[in-house]
Amino acid sequence: MKRLSIFFVSGILIGIVGLVTSCKTKSASSNTGWAYNDSKNGGFTVAENIKPAPGPGLVAIEGGTFVMGGSLQEDLAYEYDNIKRRVTVPSFYMDETEVSNVNWGEYLYWIQRNFPNDREYYYNALPDTLVWRRPLSYNEPYVENYLRHPAYQDYPVIGISWDQAKEYAEWRTDRVNEQILRSRGVMVDFATLASKGGKATSDPFNTDIYLNGQYQGEGIDGKRMPSNLNPAANATGNKGSNSARRPVRKEDGVLQEHYRLPSEAEWEYAALALSGNSANENIEDGRIYPWSGLGVRSASRKTQGLIMANFKRGEGDNMGVARGLNDKADITASVRSYMPNDFGLYNMAGNVNEWVADTYRKMSFEDFNDFNPFRGNEYVNKRMADAKKGTFAKDKYGRPIKDPATSRRKQTWAEVNGQTDSATVLSEPKFTNDMRGFKDSVNQDLYGVTTLVNDRSKVYKGGSWNDRAYWLNPATRRFMPEDETSAEVGFRCAMSMVGSPVINTNGQKNFSIPKRKKAK
């Protein structure tokens, strides 16, 4: 655990250094010999090759190979829907904890502040607090208090549908990247923004719109925007040498990747955390739960006998006997309760089940790839408002409108601009953007009639405060329609890692990689 924490601190420092020095690298092209970051020869900008720090709330998960479904020793439900197969999961980031009520409250407040007259937007973001109701159980206090009372602010948010969780992840991406740009002065800083009532002068910030150059101008651009080294930009009436400024680009490495729901493979891999049981590519011992051992109680001398997660021990036993509560929780517990696993993740078993990104199919293990397996792809393109100018169409919230992808390849310029005749288009094989049912032999027309499984069925995993210990096994899987909610289901976010998958190199042998040559 100490080695991981050191990495996080150094990662943050590297991220900050990368922001400051991203455009100051004086190196040259190995193919043409032209110097980078030099306005005298064209001004092609190349950022320093750095490893970005994880986004707020995230923990780095070093990927690798593992046996998906391997921890399930006995399939009590006889589902046979997670048969053992070896896969590889790339390195990624995952939330240290489940998303909590206070996190969701920040989301609701932002909507209310920025769209005070849009009651529909706010209402659609509200969790379904009525999930607590049971015909023969007195749960009204939870209906009234669980989401908003400060006593529950660090408890996992529940009553969230898969669709709502996905919307939250997209919103979180924009807020994190906006914070990066405003705190660095690339956009109008927070002090100036506060003097104007705390609201932007245009649509709320959106990462995709910003990176496309559509979010800039007076009231948006800050005083510390990167220099535009393109001589043409400095020749259009700007005073002084290199006085032209530009927005941050993807190539600068400043902005974070998109927050999202983890895939099922990522979630199961992160929950098992077999890195704690491995050395030199040898896994010394398997696991049934996110901790070592065969039971659900702690074997450590200091905490011996304590239950390791929040779950239902038996019929009518949600927390044990007074003065000896076994898991110290009647319903959910704080998101930082119990011991984290070897990746530093809390409550990867128990407390609440967690949504993952995958669409449920019983036989997915037979179909998906062995590298980064995932079922649920729905390919989309951002709608163009003006294809020749390259501007995206925006919805009423300032977000790009996304349409089903029309081709499996990059379209020609003529196709993008609608200049291709129909005969050419008809000659190509028909493309479907919806891959959720890829290689699915089940008759789509029978979905919802002979089975509850359909393209809107999403996987959730991990067990909850109201589940038996069996469901704490990371390999177990259940499903629910993406628009339904439960008092036993929450979620956490993930983020893809860019660059090298290596995280911790302590004690490992490595080949040295020469640095890029400097400009002469």
Side-chain angles (χ1 to χ4, degrees), residues 16 35 101 153 175 184 193 230 237 263 277 290 300 302-303 330 333 347 364 369 381 412 442 487 491 511:
I16 294 172
N101 285 322
Q153 65 182 4
R175 301 292 72 75
R184 268 57 172 187
L193 190 67
N230 184 347
S263 69
N277 285 355
S300 174
K302 292 183 178 180
T303 57
D330 48 1
N347 289 300
S364 280
N369 291 350
N381 292 332
T412 64
V442 178
F491 74 103
F511 291 108

Side-chain angles (χ1 to χ4, degrees), residues 258-475:
H258 287 267
Y259 284 83
R260 56 177 174 79
L261 288 174
S263 69
E264 182 178 3
E266 287 175 332
W267 194 98
E268 186 173 331
Y269 177 84
L272 276 176
L274 289 173
S275 62
N277 285 355
S278 63
N280 299 321
E281 283 202 281
N282 293 317
I283 298 177
E284 298 172 356
D285 194 9
R287 284 180 173 171
I288 297 176
Y289 305 109
W291 53 84
S292 298
L294 301 178
V296 295
R297 294 183 181 274
S298 173
S300 174
R301 180 174 297 180
K302 292 183 178 180
T303 57
Q304 191 171 23
L306 295 181
I307 286 186
M308 298 287 286
N310 179 16
F311 68 99
K312 189 171 185 174
R313 189 165 60 169
E315 186 69 28
D317 184 2
N318 281 65
M319 59 178 176
V321 179
R323 297 192 66 184
L325 302 182
N326 56 49
D327 62 15
K328 310 295 189 294
D330 48 1
I331 50 167
T332 56
S334 170
V335 294
R336 282 186 170 82
S337 300
Y338 315 102
M339 292 295 294
N341 70 5
D342 287 326
F343 279 135
L345 305 175
Y346 289 86
N347 289 300
M348 291 301 284
N351 215 23
V352 287
N353 290 284
E354 297 178 14
W355 287 114
V356 297
D358 288 60
T359 299
Y360 179 83
R361 287 293 188 276
K362 191 181 186 74
M363 307 299 284
S364 280
F365 63 89
E366 289 188 342
D367 299 332
F368 54 40
N369 291 350
D370 62 357
F371 176 74
N372 207 10
F374 171 68
R375 181 191 285 275
N377 283 309
E378 294 178 86
Y379 301 119
V380 297
N381 292 332
K382 300 179 185 71
R383 184 185 300 175
M384 304 300 293
D386 189 327
K388 292 184 178 179
K389 294 182 179 179
T391 55
F392 296 146
K394 297 186 289 186
D395 63 15
K396 64 179 180 178
Y397 303 117
R399 304 172 301 194
I401 299 173
K402 298 177 182 179
D403 297 319
T406 56
S407 174
R408 67 180 71 253
R409 58 173 175 80
K410 175 186 174 182
Q411 293 181 292
T412 64
W413 181 252
E415 289 171 333
V416 170
N417 287 276
Q419 299 170 359
T420 306
D421 58 47
S422 58
T424 304
V425 176
L426 291 174
S427 66
E428 296 184 2
K430 185 177 180 181
F431 174 74
T432 173
N433 75 299
D434 190 346
M435 296 294 174
R436 291 173 293 180
F438 184 66
K439 289 190 175 181
D440 194 344
S441 60
V442 178
N443 188 335
Q444 297 274 348
D445 296 334
L446 297 179
Y447 281 169
V449 178
T450 62
T451 175
L452 295 176
V453 176
N454 55 48
D455 285 346
R456 295 174 60 81
S457 302
K458 304 300 179 183
V459 179
Y460 64 90
K461 297 169 76 75
S464 77
W465 60 273
N466 207 30
D467 285 319
R468 303 294 182 89
Y470 170 77
W471 296 106
L472 306 186
N473 186 300

Side-chain angles (χ1 to χ4, degrees), residues 490-506:
F491 74 103
R492 73 179 75 208
C493 295
M495 178 185 288
S496 299
M497 183 182 293
V498 295
S500 170
V502 179
I503 292 175
N504 194 343
T505 59
N506 290 346

